[in-house]
């Protein structure tokens, strides 16, 4: 039986396991994985390095025109983010970027540019994309929409562990404060706020393993490919 290619949109809060789940689902299905969050992080890194004034739309648009974001597989077949030809995968995961990415993501010029790029990347289908507005704005007609959530303390522990794996020691209270602030900005911004699509399946990852998350998304995806 030939299974049709679909778009899988995974939205939700920070540190709920969206990216890890999306990567593994793409692996299982042989789909292309696109990390929309990494794209916004790359733009944020570019703005920080170029000292862009976020209140200056002309400057924002000019630097966006000079920003080229691509994804390449490393030797372990893992997708890594490249900004203007340079591998920035580690740099974009720093707290420096985390503290600014939600503010950068609220800018209309940034969202318009990223949504346009994401739609081009997903035009051929057969993609898994995670973010905050994938099922509501980028691909409102995606065949499968997932909305992920989890307990705040669990999310903070997960993010702290991620940072520790990258040799960044950050206090748990600071991590939690960053997550609370990001949630507030993400859910209240005027441009494509984080919200659950009416036809999305909710997955609470607080008490389930990564394998269980992946299995559930793959099961739902296969049911829509027939």
């Amino acid at each position: 039986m030939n299974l049709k290619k679909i778009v899988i949109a995974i939205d939700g809060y920070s540190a709920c396991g969206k990216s890890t789940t999306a990567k593994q689902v793409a692996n299982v299905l042989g789909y292309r994985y696109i990390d929309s969050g990494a794209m916004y992080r790359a733009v944020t890194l570019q703005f920080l390095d170029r000292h862009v004034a976020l209140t200056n739309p002309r400057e924002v648009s000019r630097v966006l025109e000079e920003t080229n974001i691509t994804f390449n597989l490393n030797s372990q077949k893992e997708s890594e983010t490249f900004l203007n030809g340079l591998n920035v995968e580690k740099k974009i995961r720093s707290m420096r970027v985390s503290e600014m990415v939600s503010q950068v993501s609220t800018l209309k010029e940034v969202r318009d540019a990223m949504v346009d790029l994401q739609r081009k990347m997903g035009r051929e289908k057969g993609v898994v994309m995670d973010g905050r507005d994938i099922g509501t704005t980028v691909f409102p007609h995606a065949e499968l929409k997932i909305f992920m959530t989890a307990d705040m303390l669990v999310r903070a522990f997960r993010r702290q562990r991620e940072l520790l794996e990258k040799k960044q020691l950050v206090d748990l209270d600071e991590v939690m404060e960053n997550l609370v602030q990001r949630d507030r900005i993400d859910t209240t911004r005027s441009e494509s706020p984080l919200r659950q699509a009416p036809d999305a399946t909710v997955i609470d990852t607080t008490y389930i393993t990564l394998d269980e998350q992946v299995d559930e998304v793959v099961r739902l995806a296969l049911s829509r490919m027939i």
Side-chain angles (χ1 to χ4, degrees), residues 107-124:
L107 301 176
K108 186 179 189 307
E109 295 85 359
V110 173
R111 297 213 73 84
D112 287 349
M114 293 302 102
V115 168
D116 184 56
L117 182 55
Q118 289 156 14
R119 284 176 176 159
K120 287 176 181 174
M121 289 178 169
R123 192 173 290 155
E124 303 301 317

Side-chain angles (χ1 to χ4, degrees), residues 20-53:
T20 309
T21 298
K23 287 175 187 174
Q24 295 204 16
V25 168
N27 229 7
V28 171
L29 298 175
Y31 273 27
R32 186 179 178 198
Y33 166 64
I34 300 171
D35 183 350
S36 75
M39 297 168 73
Y40 286 102
R41 283 176 172 272
V43 171
T44 301
L45 178 64
Q46 174 87 321
F47 282 11
L48 285 168
D49 288 349
R50 299 279 293 273
H51 305 288
V52 173

Side-chain angles (χ1 to χ4, degrees), residues 60-214:
V60 166
S61 296
R62 179 177 58 77
V63 175
L64 276 172
E65 288 175 4
E66 300 166 1
T67 302
N68 180 40
I69 300 167
T70 54
F71 295 100
N72 293 316
L73 295 177
N74 61 21
S75 57
Q76 282 78 47
K77 303 296 183 184
E78 297 169 336
S79 179
E80 293 186 327
T81 312
F82 283 71
L83 173 62
N84 296 336
L86 295 176
N87 188 330
V88 293
E89 188 61 35
K90 288 184 179 177
K91 285 185 177 181
I92 65 172
R93 308 297 172 183
S94 67
M95 279 299 290
R96 171 180 176 243
V97 171
S98 293
E99 288 169 354
M100 284 298 297
V101 64
S102 286
Q103 293 180 53
V104 171
S105 299
T106 62
L107 301 176
K108 186 179 189 307
E109 295 85 359
V110 173
R111 297 213 73 84
D112 287 349
M114 293 302 102
V115 168
D116 184 56
L117 182 55
Q118 289 156 14
R119 284 176 176 159
K120 287 176 181 174
M121 289 178 169
R123 192 173 290 155
E124 303 301 317
K125 298 201 173 186
V127 298
V128 184
M129 190 179 296
D130 72 293
R132 286 165 179 73
D133 63 347
I134 310 304
T136 54
T137 301
V138 183
F139 294 115
H141 302 297
E143 289 85 352
L144 175 60
K145 300 176 187 177
I146 303 292
F147 190 88
M148 297 178 75
T149 184
D151 176 80
M152 173 58 78
L153 187 58
V154 172
R155 291 168 56 199
F157 273 123
R158 288 174 180 168
R159 179 52 50 82
Q160 186 186 46
R161 188 170 64 239
E162 285 175 15
L163 290 166
L164 199 56
E165 287 170 358
K166 295 176 173 63
K167 296 183 171 51
Q168 299 178 51
L169 183 59
V170 184
D171 185 79
L172 185 65
D173 287 341
E174 185 181 346
V175 175
M176 193 175 296
E177 185 181 337
N178 174 251
L179 290 175
V180 169
Q181 182 184 14
R182 290 193 65 186
D183 286 355
R184 180 183 57 78
I185 295 173
D186 290 343
T187 56
T188 59
R189 68 189 180 212
S190 58
E191 294 294 325
S192 304
L194 168 65
R195 59 185 173 85
Q196 179 190 331
D199 53 344
T201 299
V202 178
I203 298 180
D204 188 328
T205 69
T206 305
Y207 301 111
I208 63 174
T209 66
L210 175 61
D211 285 345
E212 288 172 329
Q213 293 166 212
V214 173

